[in-house]
Amino acid sequence: MKDRFDLIVIGSGPGGYVAAIKAAKLGMKTALIESREIGGTCLNRGCIPTKTLMHSSHLYYEAQSLQEIGIRYEGLHFDMDQIQEHKDSIVNKIRQGIVALLEANKVTILYGTATILGEGRIQLKTSESELELETGKILIATGSKPVIPKIEGANLNNVITSDELLSKKGNPYDKLLIIGGGVIGVEFATIYKELGCEVEIIEAMDRILPNMEKEISQSIAMSLKKKGIVIHTKAKVTRITEGEGNTLSCEYEEKDTLKITSANAVLLSVGRRANLEGLFAPEVFLELDGPNIKVDEKFETSISGIYAIGDAIRGKQLAHAASAQGIVAVEKMCGKEPSIDLNIIPSCIYTQPEVAVVGLNEEEAEEKGYTVAIGKYPMLGNSKTILSMGERGFIKVISDAGTGRILGAQLLCDRATDMVSEFTTAIVNGLTTKDLAAAIHPHPTYSEAITEAVEDVEGMAIHLIPKKK
Ligand code: FAD
Ligand code: NAI
């Protein structure tokens, strides 16, 4: 007799594995199908490997200025193979932890490729066998894959995506050209530059990180340029060809002028699209929303009993968004009220300084009809930033002038990616600037700047020179 499950989740990224554990906890007999490694893009080819490499590159980069504070050493160098091995060991460790959690929650892990045959029916294919599985519900969490732009030469050797760059053996390339100055582009630019490579970015829009507030993207562009990264904006690559020696030659148009540059490798980081390859049997017709799967507010697709979350649907392509959607989708399947507010999703960029934003920015708040009151604190007044020799940055809070409710925040500073959660908690729970100011923040910490920013809304920040009237 075939095994019958209450729920089969396809894809074990942060969306799928979290949903599977949640479903098991809520009493569903759950299976999780994965065609590659447990943990999905995030663990194996995304968040964790990039941030582990970045941890190494930051330490190496910072070590070069230790002499300034009296720490002396000789012969500082790095071993890229060992850095990669360390990264792989971190990924393995986390993967083992996820597998242990799935097993402890009695989720059945099935390795192979899933194809949806129809309502409640999935074919599981491995190199040795094909098996049909029956289930009450199906949750698609198959994630995304890199977009390959239609540029002549995009298929040449050493024209790569983040997948290949993360698994590259041997020394880093002497020069890396990055097409696309979005999140992946600037994070890899940071890692490679910190490891001593030449880096050039070609971005189609008028600024890098075009989805971020202008002030943030301009500040990040300034700090990348200060590190020696070359940035071209309003620029479009027209052709990549094999150049002399071990190089690629890249033709691009920048502000209507045709230019040429060369590099040892070209990273394509122009976005990611839903990964739906081979997911549906030919007779299964599921409504799409552009390149993504269309879902309703319960995350149910156009076929009853089939749900989708994460990078496979429209929205922010972020690990924590996928996990939160997974939890809410399962809660709704079980008839429960959602335990998470999916409207407020923080976004982070792990540059130096870090970037983190949540809620509405000033423009968006005004468009929604709020009379906005702003508080802003420059981090160069924050003791922890000064003693850690941090870069320029700020914490900005956007509030409703009438009620004092916090509507949004933007952080450009060290530990921004951790501190943003205080603002997320405030927004989700309707807290005001006074509520945040009422809580004592320890000294010396970066988080003291949160108190200063919310106090600045009424011009009451202690460590800020009063504005001239
Ligand atoms: P995925 O993590 O993509 O997982 C989908 C899984 O489904 C994969 O394991 C795949 O093998 C499997 N699968 C697909 N089809 C099938 C099938 N037919 N049968 C069986 N299995 C299948 N986000 C952040 O929040 N923070 C970051 O710092 C961050 N850094 C990133 C860095 C990089 C370089 C990249 C590429 C992405 C990064 N992201 C980051 C984005 C994040 O990785 C994704 O948003 C997240 O992984 C999406 O989760 P998911 O569960 O929807 O899908
Ligand atoms: P992205 O959408 O962030 O950036 C793509 C960039 O490429 C844009 O700036 C776009 O204008 C530019 N572009 C598009 N076509 C181009 C062309 N032909 N020539 C030059 N520039 C071009 O996509 P990216 O960086 O690939 O990342 C995908 C997703 O992965 C992100 O949207 C993000 O959600 C997720 N991610 C999240 C991270 C984090 O949370 N820290 C880190 C890395 C990725």
Side-chain angles (χ1 to χ4, degrees):
M1 203 183 95
K2 283 182 205 162
D3 244 358
R4 192 187 152 84
F5 295 94
D6 296 324
L7 174 67
I8 293 183
V9 180
I10 307 174
S12 72
Y17 90 77
V18 168
I21 292 177
K22 184 73 186 181
K25 282 188 189 298
L26 291 177
M28 295 175 101
K29 185 176 174 189
T30 306
L32 177 64
I33 301 182
E34 174 54 60
S35 57
R36 299 181 66 175
E37 309 88 352
I38 294 290
T41 305
C42 175
L43 176 58
N44 300 290
R45 296 170 295 283
C47 330
I48 300 298
T50 47
K51 275 73 213 183
T52 310
L53 286 184
M54 195 175 260
H55 181 70
S56 300
S57 73
H58 280 350
L59 287 175
Y60 177 68
Y61 186 72
E62 279 175 9
Q64 293 165 53
S65 49
L66 289 180
Q67 317 256 13
E68 284 170 34
I69 58 166
I71 299 173
R72 312 235 177 271
Y73 56 80
E74 267 171 28
L76 180 75
H77 66 283
F78 65 84
D79 176 333
M80 196 61 200
D81 284 335
Q82 212 177 329
I83 287 179
Q84 290 282 23
E85 277 166 29
H86 167 68
K87 175 211 71 185
D88 293 341
S89 74
I90 297 290
V91 169
N92 282 333
K93 193 172 174 178
I94 297 177
R95 194 187 299 126
Q96 283 166 17
I98 295 174
V99 170
L101 281 172
L102 288 163
E103 288 173 352
N105 279 286
K106 304 208 170 11
V107 173
T108 303
I109 303 175
L110 299 166
Y111 290 97
T113 302
T115 301
I116 297 174
L117 304 174
E119 268 178 62
R121 287 173 54 229
I122 289 178
Q123 183 194 59
L124 175 67
K125 207 170 170 183
T126 66
S127 50
E128 287 104 44
S129 65
E130 276 181 32
L131 181 73
E132 199 177 313
L133 300 164
E134 281 184 10
T135 177
K137 293 178 169 42
I138 296 171
L139 177 63
I140 300 168
T142 51
S144 63
K145 56 184 182 182
V147 169
I148 307 297
K150 289 191 178 71
I151 297 172
E152 187 186 330
N155 57 348
L156 288 174
N157 256 350
N158 290 329
V159 180
I160 52 177
T161 68
S162 53
D163 291 358
E164 292 92 54
L165 193 51
L166 282 171
S167 57
K168 183 188 176 316
K169 299 267 180 295
N171 282 334
Y173 300 105
D174 290 338
K175 178 163 175 203
L176 178 66
L177 178 73
I178 299 177
I179 303 183
V183 197
I184 292 184
V186 300
E187 288 192 353
F188 273 105
T190 303
I191 296 171
Y192 265 73
K193 190 67 209 175
E194 287 182 343
L195 292 175
C197 309
E198 251 187 273
V199 179
E200 198 168 339
I201 300 176
I202 297 188
E203 164 59 47
M205 305 297 278
D206 61 354
R207 57 192 169 97
I208 57 163
L209 300 174
N211 297 328
M212 278 281 154
E213 286 67 31
K214 213 170 184 171
E215 186 177 12
I216 288 183
S217 73
Q218 282 170 346
S219 300
I220 292 295
M222 241 168 61
S223 104
L224 294 179
K225 283 179 188 168
K226 218 171 93 189
K227 282 196 166 104
I229 295 169
V230 177
I231 299 175
H232 308 277
T233 51
K234 280 198 187 160
K236 219 174 130 211
V237 173
T238 47
R239 194 157 81 109
I240 308 168
T241 51
E242 273 166 350
E244 281 181 17
N246 203 11
T247 62
L248 292 162
S249 177
C250 186
E251 289 176 18
Y252 64 100
E253 275 173 23
E254 187 178 12
K255 291 152 196 140
D256 297 330
T257 312
L258 192 64
K259 296 182 178 173
I260 291 190
T261 187
S262 64
N264 304 99
V266 175
L267 170 67
L268 303 173
S269 51
V270 297
R272 295 179 60 86
R273 59 180 293 152
N275 180 16
L276 309 179
E277 216 176 288
L279 184 60
F280 305 108
E283 62 277 15
V284 176
F285 293 102
L286 196 135
E287 255 183 74
L288 294 183
D289 173 8
N292 306 299
I293 297 177
K294 188 173 177 186
V295 291
D296 64 14
E297 68 294 340
K298 288 193 298 196
F299 295 98
E300 196 161 14
T301 66
S302 56
I303 301 182
S304 160
I306 302 183
Y307 300 75
I309 54 160
D311 280 12
I313 64 170
R314 183 192 282 273
K316 288 190 176 178
Q317 293 175 324
L318 295 170
H320 43 280
S323 299
Q325 290 165 359
I327 288 174
V328 170
V330 167
E331 285 172 339
K332 290 190 173 182
M333 284 177 206
C334 296
K336 293 192 173 302
E337 280 299 306
S339 59
I340 302 176
D341 183 346
L342 293 177
N343 296 311
I344 311 297
I345 302 173
S347 296
C348 300
I349 308 177
Y350 295 76
T351 39
Q352 250 190 346
E354 293 182 340
V355 174
V357 301
V358 66
L360 303 176
N361 64 28
E362 200 173 336
E363 233 171 46
E364 289 163 346
E366 278 168 359
E367 272 167 22
K368 284 189 179 283
Y370 287 104
T371 305
V372 169
I374 304 289
K376 189 171 177 189
Y377 189 70
M379 293 305 280
L380 285 180
N382 170 257
S383 307
K384 184 66 187 269
T385 303
I386 299 170
L387 72 87
S388 316
M389 303 192 306
E391 291 189 47
R392 291 162 67 98
F394 58 82
I395 293 183
K396 181 172 173 182
V397 57
I398 291 94
S399 68
D400 174 17
T403 61
R405 264 183 74 158
I406 295 173
L407 304 171
Q410 286 125 40
L411 297 84
L412 174 77
C413 54
D414 290 334
R415 305 277 166 86
T417 59
D418 290 308
M419 290 195 290
V420 72
S421 296
E422 187 165 340
F423 287 107
T424 311
T425 306
I427 298 167
V428 166
N429 294 291
L431 301 186
T432 63
T433 51
K434 283 200 168 58
D435 292 327
L436 282 201
I440 296 176
H441 289 73
H443 177 73
T445 58
Y446 296 107
S447 70
E448 287 174 284
I450 294 177
T451 310
E452 302 284 350
V454 292
E455 290 280 33
D456 182 52
V457 171
E458 292 186 8
M460 294 303 284
I462 299 290
H463 296 93
L464 197 55
I465 307 234
K467 290 173 193 106
K468 284 194 182 127
K469 297 215 168 118

